[in-house]
Amino acid sequence: MIRIPLTSRMAWQALQEHATESSSVHLRDLFRADASRGERMSLQALGFYFDYSKQRVTSETMSLLLQLAEDCGLRGRIVAMFRGDKINITENRAVLHTALRAPRTARVEVDGRDVVADVHAVLDRMAAFAEQVRSGAWRGYTGRPIRTVVNIGIGGSDLGPVMAYEALRAYAVRDIQFRYVSNVDGTDMAEALRDLDAAETLFIVSSKTFTTQETMTNAHTARSWLLDHLNHDAAIARHFVAVSTNAAAVSQFGIDVANMFGFWDWVGGRYSMDSAIGLSTMIAIGPENFRDMLAGFHEMDEHFRLAPFAKNLPVLMGLLSIWNTNFLGAETLAVLPYDQYLKRLPAYLQQLTMESNGKSVTLGGTRVSYETSPIYWGEPGTNGQHSFYQLIHQGTRLISCDFIGFKRSLNPLGEHHTLLMSNLFAQAEALAFGKTSDEVAAEGTAEWLVPHRTFEGNRPSNMLLAEQLTPAVLGKLVALYEHIVFVQGAIWDIGSFDQWGVELGKVLAKRIAAELNAADEPAPSHDSSTNALIRWFRA
Ligand code: F6P
């Protein structure tokens, strides 16, 4: 197949020219020139109000970006993903997280097998188990009900469950505690277990591969702790369940495969929070809410698959991020949810976006000559305003922001929500329009102080609003970002579904662990710095 390099595409080159021509245009000018810009550059879909009028784009920018999407074959790539083609070419796997939320009546085949039926069989088993734990019917080894669920996992087997638990806490049972242990740092496990009663604790060992060093180390420590307290191997079956694709390793660990909830190699770790990896989420919020969340995911999938690109949320947001990254030079993208329940969303999105698109060769294996994934980061509003927003407003870097907010609070308390939302809208306004030196001077500011108090503005942002944070809205939100990543990857022509970049560190850590335990000199193959570090630790 002949691959046209991205930078040789006509739409790309036209965008480059257009970016140069429009580099001096300020958002102030764009709004002044078009009184209806705020409404024109907004979209209402799936219960979201999406306003991108504060992006540094014109109608011409948008049509060139949409042309770029067409030229890069985005349409065909979407079809290929949903159809189950093996688009994860370096691992020869289908990419079918969309099948995890397909309705029972749908049919998606991988190697001749309908995977939707498998998905629903697991969901049904999860639901039965979750109900047992929630109702107290599931008893620990000594006959007591479960009071604490500890999810042991890392990366996609941790960040999704933690984020979803925090996000949907308002819907969660309050008489069961949920804890999440991920770090191989013993402190994580020690602090999680410190005040727990083993007789009332359920461990969910979540690992797609069931070989991940951190998770396996934590799982073994948890098992020893449980056996120390309950003194019998038979207790394992009542206090440990597993979520994995690797039945053999689960059973070798000592967990009965009857207590294992499976998923499949066509679900990437960072795309797995709606698979069995969400077992802790389902126990927390209940099967019905979990299914609502899946319905939200599915709604966004259908929108992504079917909506015209010009009215397609993931396509628009993906293209806008390409514009900011590749044509305006923004290196980072701040995700700023104005909702305390979404406090872990930025961390979750870091893995989703950066493990997916932190790549520097094309699918054809050649080095890219353009930037790929921006650095995603963020904090919930309004905390960030009193911390790093200064740099976004007046620093030298261009940072694009995704603001997220809700019309109604899940905890309406006095004036809190109005204040929260007024801050949200004010920040986007201040970033876009700033304050000119003339305006500052007109306030009677001393001349020498004027430059310090001037805000350039022209900082781009998206505003994504919804009625209220519900399980379905969370599902839509996560699917939205999953598909934004897909759009970016399709344009950049990179493989968004592997993660070879994490392998080398894992291999070296294994070698070094052996050397840290050994009494003899570190292997000479290390560099002088690493050898010295190993000697320092051993001394
Ligand atoms: O960090 C690499 C990675 O493979 C992630 O992609 C994955 O989410 C994480 O490790 C955990 O993997 P597993 O679920 O197999 O333990």
Side-chain angles (χ1 to χ4, degrees):
M1 186 172 92
I2 301 169
R3 308 186 88 93
I4 301 174
L6 176 58
T7 51
S8 304
R9 292 191 182 277
M10 270 166 66
W12 182 273
Q13 292 178 352
L15 277 160
Q16 257 170 341
E17 249 173 64
H18 171 67
T20 310
E21 281 161 18
S22 55
S23 63
S24 59
V25 177
H26 197 287
L27 279 166
R28 282 194 285 259
D29 307 323
L30 296 175
F31 273 85
R32 213 175 288 130
D34 175 4
S36 63
R37 181 179 168 93
E39 290 89 51
R40 204 168 51 75
M41 291 197 159
S42 68
L43 175 68
Q44 299 201 41
L46 286 73
F48 287 114
Y49 180 97
F50 174 57
D51 173 8
Y52 60 100
S53 62
K54 294 191 186 84
Q55 291 286 349
R56 279 161 53 175
V57 292
T58 60
S59 304
E60 188 187 348
T61 324
M62 294 315 293
S63 57
L64 287 172
L65 285 169
L66 290 165
Q67 189 56 49
L68 182 68
E70 298 292 356
D71 290 1
C72 293
L74 177 61
R75 225 169 264 285
R77 296 225 195 183
I78 295 173
V79 171
M81 173 172 72
F82 278 87
R83 189 170 54 204
D85 290 8
K86 298 198 171 163
I87 60 170
N88 175 357
I89 57 167
T90 64
E91 296 177 313
N92 193 30
R93 289 176 182 166
V95 174
L96 270 178
H97 41 276
T98 50
L100 295 170
R101 52 264 192 158
R104 223 177 261 279
T105 47
R107 203 181 156 82
V108 181
E109 283 190 9
V110 175
D111 298 327
R113 186 181 171 89
D114 174 26
V115 298
V116 179
D118 293 341
V119 164
H120 282 275
V122 173
L123 280 172
D124 291 344
R125 283 187 57 229
M126 286 166 65
F129 178 73
E131 286 298 16
Q132 282 193 354
V133 175
R134 285 162 64 85
S135 67
W138 180 273
R139 298 282 159 152
Y141 179 63
T142 64
R144 305 236 294 272
I146 300 303
R147 292 270 163 261
T148 306
V149 172
V150 181
N151 186 77
I152 300 175
I154 197 164
S157 301
D158 168 72
L159 288 163
V162 182
M163 183 277 288
Y165 172 64
E166 293 295 345
L168 300 176
R169 242 186 141 137
Y171 302 85
V173 282
R174 299 290 176 159
D175 55 350
I176 301 177
Q177 288 188 60
F178 292 82
R179 295 188 183 180
Y180 297 83
V181 177
S182 54
N183 201 333
V184 77
D185 182 342
T187 298
D188 204 7
M189 182 60 84
E191 286 296 338
L193 298 183
R194 192 171 295 281
D195 55 348
L196 292 190
D197 182 345
E200 298 182 339
T201 300
L202 176 74
F203 292 98
I204 303 177
V205 185
S206 298
S207 173
K208 178 175 168 181
T209 54
F210 229 74
T211 56
T212 304
Q213 185 202 53
E214 292 89 336
T215 301
M216 288 302 106
T217 306
N218 280 324
H220 280 101
T221 301
R223 189 173 64 175
S224 306
W225 175 85
L226 187 95
L227 292 176
D228 282 351
H229 286 82
L230 299 182
N231 300 316
H232 208 290
D233 278 354
I236 302 284
R238 305 305 304 167
H239 294 272
F240 274 84
V241 298
V243 179
S244 187
T245 57
N246 187 348
V250 167
S251 132
Q252 207 184 351
F253 177 86
I255 298 178
D256 187 345
V257 285
N259 295 334
M260 167 179 153
F261 300 87
F263 61 115
W264 306 271
D265 72 358
W266 42 262
V267 184
R270 54 193 175 272
Y271 296 86
S272 68
M273 61 163 274
D274 50 337
S275 71
I277 288 291
L279 183 61
S280 61
T281 315
M282 193 192 265
I283 297 172
I285 64 173
E288 205 173 312
N289 279 322
F290 195 85
R291 286 190 195 277
D292 283 352
M293 182 181 81
L294 295 183
F297 269 99
H298 180 65
E299 223 186 302
M300 185 57 77
D301 293 343
E302 289 298 277
H303 170 78
F304 181 47
R305 199 166 67 82
L306 300 170
F309 282 178
K311 298 208 173 305
N312 191 310
L313 285 167
V315 171
L316 289 178
M317 287 181 74
L319 291 175
L320 288 165
S321 72
I322 301 266
W323 171 249
N324 287 324
T325 303
N326 299 112
F327 299 97
L328 298 189
E331 289 174 337
T332 81
L333 195 160
V335 179
L336 306 164
Y338 276 61
D339 190 302
Q340 188 63 19
Y341 284 126
L342 291 180
K343 66 180 179 193
R344 296 291 288 165
L345 182 69
Y348 169 79
L349 291 182
Q350 286 186 322
Q351 188 201 11
L352 178 67
T353 58
M354 298 199 277
E355 201 173 67
S356 295
N357 284 339
K359 310 287 165 64
S360 53
V361 292
T362 64
L363 284 168
T366 52
R367 172 93 201 177
V368 299
S369 58
Y370 39 84
E371 299 294 344
T372 58
S373 182
I375 297 156
Y376 280 76
W377 59 288
E379 277 289 321
T382 56
N383 298 2
Q385 290 173 209
H386 297 273
S387 161
F388 52 78
Y389 275 43
Q390 166 63 37
L391 184 148
I392 310 182
H393 283 289
Q394 284 190 315
T396 52
R397 294 168 195 281
L398 185 72
I399 294 169
S400 68
C401 300
D402 281 0
F403 288 107
I404 300 171
F406 299 93
K407 188 181 281 180
R408 286 188 294 128
S409 169
L410 286 159
N411 295 292
L413 277 181
E415 276 294 286
H416 284 256
H417 196 60
T418 310
L419 293 176
L420 177 71
M421 295 304 281
S422 63
N423 273 283
L424 167 58
F425 297 154
Q427 288 301 323
E429 187 178 14
L431 286 169
F433 303 106
K435 198 170 184 184
T436 62
S437 44
D438 288 347
E439 286 166 343
V440 177
E443 288 171 350
T445 309
E447 205 181 323
W448 68 271
L449 201 50
V450 169
H452 298 275
R453 300 191 57 174
T454 299
F455 287 66
E456 265 175 27
N458 218 17
R459 269 58 171 168
S461 67
N462 285 322
M463 179 70 69
L464 187 67
L465 302 171
E467 189 69 23
Q468 192 165 41
L469 179 57
T470 62
V473 168
L474 182 71
K476 289 183 220 182
L477 191 59
V478 173
L480 169 63
Y481 278 94
E482 287 178 348
H483 298 321
I484 290 170
V485 166
F486 185 88
V487 172
Q488 294 171 332
I491 305 286
W492 289 323
D493 191 25
I494 54 178
S496 302
F497 300 102
D498 58 23
Q499 56 285 319
W500 298 106
V502 298
E503 291 307 318
L504 179 60
K506 287 186 192 173
V507 172
L508 290 177
K510 250 192 203 151
R511 233 172 76 196
I512 293 175
E515 290 164 356
L516 292 178
N517 286 325
D520 50 344
E521 273 291 286
S525 59
H526 290 296
D527 59 276
S528 60
S529 160
T530 310
N531 284 345
L533 299 174
I534 293 169
R535 278 198 297 271
W536 175 86
F537 184 78
R538 293 202 315 205

